C-alpha cells in the first residue's frame, strides 16, 4: 500500500470538498490481522506527537499485529482517544490500552483470555517444541505489558486473563481502565461546520464584545 509523502498535505476533506477539523479518525473493525496494512497506513498518516480518535469493534487477531500497532503509537508519540463502539477483545486490547484516553459505553464488551496459537499442519516436532517455548514466553511478556499500558488494576487484569473473562464497559470503568459515555454526542468529538460558523458570526462577536466590556 502506498504511503503518503510527508511533503504532501493530508487530505482531510469530506464529500463536499470542505476541510475537516479535528484529529484524524480511524476505525479498527474486524480481525486485526486482516486489516493490519490499512490500520498501519492510517496511523502513519498521524503526525508524530499528533492526535487521533480510534473506534474499536474487533475480536482481536495476531499478537504480532497488536504489538506492531502498539509500537507505532508509542514510538511516534501518538495521543489517541480510543472509543469501543462494540467489541474490543483479545489482541485488540493492546492498542486500546495504548490510547491516552479510553471511552466505553454500557454496551461495550471485552474478552480477556490467554493467547492462543495454532501450528502448521505438517510442522516438525522440534519446531513445534521451540514454537511452544517462544509462545509461552511471549504470552507472559504481553500480559505484563497489558497491565503496564492500562497503568492500573494489574492484578485484576491478570485474573480476567486467567479466567477467560468477558468484561462489560461498566466493569472497565469501575476498574479505572476507561471512562463511560452514554449514547449521546460527545462535545469534544463534535466538529460541526455550522457550530464553527455560528461562533464566528458577526452577531456572536458583538455579543462577546459587549460581555467583555
Amino acid at each position: 500500500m502506498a504511503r503518503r509523502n510527508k511533503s504532501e498535505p493530508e487530505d482531510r476533506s469530506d464529500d463536499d470538498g470542505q476541510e475537516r477539523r479535528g484529529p484524524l479518525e480511524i476505525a479498527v473493525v474486524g480481525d486485526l490481522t486482516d486489516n493490519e496494512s490499512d490500520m498501519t497506513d492510517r496511523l502513519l498518516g498521524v503526525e508524530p506527537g499528533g492526535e487521533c480518535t480510534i473506534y474499536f469493534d474487533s475480536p482481536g487477531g495476531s499478537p504480532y499485529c497488536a504489538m506492531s500497532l502498539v509500537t507505532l503509537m508509542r514510538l511516534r508519540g501518538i495521543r489517541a482517544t480510543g472509543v469501543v463502539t462494540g467489541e474490543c477483545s483479545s489482541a485488540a486490547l493492546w492498542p486500546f490500552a495504548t490510547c491516552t484516553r479510553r471511552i466505553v459505553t454500557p454496551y461495550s464488551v471485552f474478552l480477556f483470555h490467554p493467547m492462543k496459537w495454532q501450528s502448521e499442519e505438517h510442522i516438525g516436532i522440534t519446531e513445534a517444541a521451540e514454537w511452544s517455548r517462544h509462545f509461552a514466553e511471549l504470552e507472559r511478556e504481553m500480559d505484563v505489558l497489558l497491565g503496564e499500558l492500562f497503568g492500573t488494576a494489574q492484578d485484576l487484569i491478570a485474573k480476567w486473563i486467567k479466567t477467560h473473562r468477558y468484561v462489560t464497559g461498566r466493569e472497565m470503568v469501575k476498574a479505572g481502565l476507561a471512562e463511560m459515555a452514554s449514547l449521546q454526542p460527545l462535545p469534544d468529538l463534535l466538529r460541526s461546520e455550522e457550530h464553527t460558523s455560528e461562533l464566528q458570526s458577526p452577531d456572536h462577536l458583538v455579543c462577546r464584545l459587549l460581555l467583555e466590556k
Side-chain angles (χ1 to χ4, degrees):
M1 181 177 293
R3 298 284 187 261
R4 180 173 59 87
N5 191 307
K6 290 184 177 180
S7 63
E8 298 176 358
E10 183 181 354
D11 184 6
R12 301 295 306 284
S13 302
D14 56 23
D15 294 338
D16 297 328
Q18 296 179 337
E19 183 182 355
R20 294 178 55 190
R21 288 179 166 81
L24 178 69
E25 294 181 300
I26 301 172
V28 177
V29 179
D31 190 281
L32 291 181
T33 312
D34 295 339
N35 298 286
E36 181 178 7
S37 179
D38 180 64
M39 289 185 293
T40 298
D41 192 65
R42 297 298 301 277
L43 283 175
L44 290 176
V46 181
E47 294 296 329
E51 299 181 16
C52 68
T53 301
I54 305 177
Y55 299 94
F56 290 88
D57 184 19
S58 171
S62 165
Y64 300 113
C65 173
M67 281 309 306
S68 176
L69 298 177
V70 169
T71 301
L72 277 176
M73 294 170 69
R74 293 301 292 267
L75 294 185
R76 292 171 60 83
I78 294 175
R79 294 168 291 149
T81 294
V83 183
V84 179
T85 59
E87 178 184 12
C88 182
S89 297
S90 190
L93 289 166
W94 274 264
F96 176 65
T98 309
C99 294
T100 54
R101 183 186 181 191
R102 309 180 199 100
I103 298 174
V104 301
T105 76
Y107 312 100
S108 302
V109 177
F110 305 80
L111 172 59
F112 291 76
H113 66 78
M115 289 196 307
K116 301 176 182 179
W117 63 277
Q118 294 178 336
S119 65
E120 296 294 335
E121 186 175 353
H122 302 293
I123 191 172
I125 295 177
T126 302
E127 185 178 353
E130 171 58 18
W131 172 243
S132 179
R133 180 204 64 79
H134 160 69
F135 204 87
E137 182 178 343
L138 177 65
E139 180 181 14
R140 286 192 297 270
E141 293 178 348
M142 290 194 67
D143 286 351
V144 171
L145 176 62
L146 184 62
E148 293 176 349
L149 290 172
F150 274 121
T152 187
Q154 297 187 21
D155 291 341
L156 180 59
I157 292 172
K159 181 180 179 180
W160 286 345
I161 293 174
K162 185 177 181 180
T163 57
H164 300 247
R165 178 69 181 272
Y166 277 97
V167 179
T168 66
R170 290 187 176 89
E171 289 176 298
M172 292 289 285
V173 173
K174 184 177 179 180
L177 303 175
E179 59 184 275
M180 180 64 70
S182 61
L183 297 183
Q184 298 294 331
L186 287 173
D188 51 346
L189 293 182
L190 293 177
R191 297 181 295 276
S192 170
E193 292 291 339
E194 179 180 350
H195 178 66
T196 302
S197 62
E198 177 184 344
L199 292 179
Q200 296 177 347
S201 67
D203 290 341
H204 176 82
L205 292 176
V206 170
C207 291
R208 190 180 68 181
L209 289 172
L210 290 174
L211 289 172
E212 290 175 350
K213 288 184 178 181

